[in-house]
Structure formats: structure tokens, C-alpha cells
Amino acid sequence: MKQNPNPDLEEWFVQVSDLRQMEYCSRVLYYRYCLSTLRPTTASMEIGERAHQTARLAEQRRSLSRYGLPNGTRKFDVLLSSSTLHISGRLDLLIEVEQPQKQFFPVEYKDSQEVHNNHKIQLAAYAFLIEEAYSTTVTQGFIYLLPLRKVETINLSAKLKFSARQRLEQLITMIYSENMPPAATQKGRCIDCEFLHFCNDVF
Ligand code: SF4
């Protein structure tokens, strides 16, 4: 049975982070949305949240120069949603610059040594949510690699945003069809997966 991930909301929303998970293994999302299985909070998730909090505190003490941006305002943990696309998410950081023109830049913190395609897809999804919320066009964002304390600039092209929308459509279709997707092609991803004991076709 399909589970509403946001039971406090009347409307039915998937989450931006789901699009990142779609790149990794969409079957995890099948378990989450189509079976009444609670996803446990893992130790790595708790460590990741602590790293995010540390980065947030450090960010408040720094200028925007490391993003190559002039002065602007920063908003942390920005809740974004689209009632037309039925997706919501909490962006780590939104930078708003006024000069030479008003522009918005999404920033995501990642506990990773490098930027992966699923990070870009997630950032692109935030871009189209910002575009809808602020009636603007978002062309650039940033991934902050926590272990390296390094900012990577991401070109948020129309092609990348289209890919994010495609993932969203695939996710919605999968949820409503309740068809279990194939297992992850890279079996190494299954080793530490909390759903491994539900997947009897991977090893
Ligand atoms: S065990 Fe592998 S195939 Fe099954 S949900 Fe986890 S990552 Fe996907």
C-alpha cells in the first residue's frame, strides 16, 4: 500500500532526495512508498546530520567569496515544494544575490569526496522548485563537499533539469503502478543496504 511520506500535509508529495536515491537504486523507494516498511535511521544518517550542522555553523562565519559571489543573503534549511509537481524538499542553503541582478543559488552539503550525478540531479530538482517559488531562472548552484571543505560549481542546464523531471515522472509512475523495479546494477551498493534482507535476488 502506498505510504504518504508527509502525513502532516494534505497533498501527496515525494521528496527531492528521492531523485538522488532513484540514481542509486529505485527499489529502495518502492519499499518506502509501496510497502508499509519503516526505514530505520542508520548510524551513517546520524553522522551525516551532525556533519551538516557543523557545516551550517561554519558557513555563517564566512563570506560568500568561496562561491565566487558578492554580498548576498543566506537562508538555511529552506523548505520548497510544488503542488503541481507533487514534490517537496528541504534545501541546505539558498543564496540570494541582488546585484547586478536578483539571482538565486541552491547549495547542497554532501558527505562525499566528489560530486556524483545523483547530487547534480538533486540540485537540479531544487532549481526548478526555486524557479517556481520565486518566478526566476536558476542557472548555477553549488555542491559543498564536507570532507574536503570544497565548493564545486554546478551548471544547472535545461538538460540537467529535464533529467531531474524525468526521474520524478519515473518515480511517480513506479509508485502508482506499484511495480517493483529491478535490483541495483552495481551489487556493491547492496552490501550495506538496510533493505538487503528483502531482496532475495541480489546475491
Ligand atoms: S539490497 Fe540492493 S537491490 Fe535491494 S534495495 Fe538495497 S540497493 Fe536496492
Side-chain angles (χ1 to χ4, degrees):
M1 183 180 172
K2 290 185 280 295
Q3 302 294 303
N4 186 343
N6 290 311
D8 294 340
L9 300 175
E10 282 184 19
E11 290 187 79
W12 207 90
F13 284 76
V14 296
Q15 298 176 355
V16 173
S17 56
D18 295 338
L19 303 190
R20 176 166 49 86
Q21 183 63 56
M22 283 285 282
E23 293 287 300
Y24 196 82
C25 177
S26 55
R27 190 181 281 187
V28 168
L29 297 166
Y30 168 81
Y31 289 133
R32 179 178 171 200
Y33 287 107
C34 300
L35 299 181
S36 55
T37 307
L38 287 179
R39 188 176 183 184
T41 302
T42 63
S44 61
M45 289 164 71
E46 289 171 359
I47 291 167
E49 179 52 31
R50 278 203 295 278
H52 273 60
Q53 286 174 357
T54 304
R56 252 176 247 133
L57 290 173
E59 177 82 42
Q60 290 167 21
R61 297 193 297 269
R62 297 197 182 106
S63 74
L64 293 175
S65 59
R66 65 179 170 160
Y67 299 103
L69 298 173
N71 288 338
T73 56
R74 276 177 281 211
K75 293 177 187 165
F76 294 92
D77 296 323
V78 179
L79 187 60
L80 294 161
S81 65
S82 167
S83 55
T84 53
L85 297 172
H86 294 273
I87 184 167
S88 69
R90 193 177 293 276
L91 175 66
D92 287 331
L93 171 63
L94 178 62
I95 301 172
E96 185 177 340
V97 173
E98 295 287 343
Q99 298 293 338
Q101 63 197 34
K102 197 178 185 86
Q103 281 181 285
F104 295 87
F105 300 89
V107 183
E108 274 287 284
Y109 300 144
K110 295 298 170 201
D111 188 14
S112 173
Q113 300 280 340
E114 59 185 328
V115 174
H116 296 289
N117 194 52
N118 60 358
H119 298 151
K120 293 181 184 177
I121 291 287
Q122 186 180 10
L123 200 65
Y126 280 122
F128 61 66
L129 287 178
I130 294 165
E131 289 175 347
E132 183 175 314
Y134 296 93
S135 301
T136 186
T137 302
V138 178
T139 58
Q140 194 180 83
F142 304 96
I143 301 287
Y144 182 68
L145 300 172
L146 293 165
L148 306 179
R149 299 182 183 179
K150 184 179 176 195
V151 172
E152 294 281 2
T153 302
I154 308 298
N155 174 26
L156 295 168
S157 64
K159 186 178 174 189
L160 186 61
K161 283 180 249 183
F162 179 72
S163 295
R165 282 182 186 259
Q166 278 187 317
R167 300 294 184 286
L168 176 58
E169 284 174 19
Q170 289 164 0
L171 174 59
I172 300 281
T173 300
M174 187 265 289
I175 291 170
Y176 278 95
S177 69
E178 298 193 45
N179 286 330
M180 187 167 76
T185 49
Q186 297 180 39
K187 300 304 177 204
R189 293 176 173 175
C190 304
I191 292 169
D192 295 324
C193 178
E194 63 264 45
F195 295 111
L196 179 58
H197 59 287
F198 293 105
C199 292
N200 54 14
D201 59 345
V202 294
F203 292 117

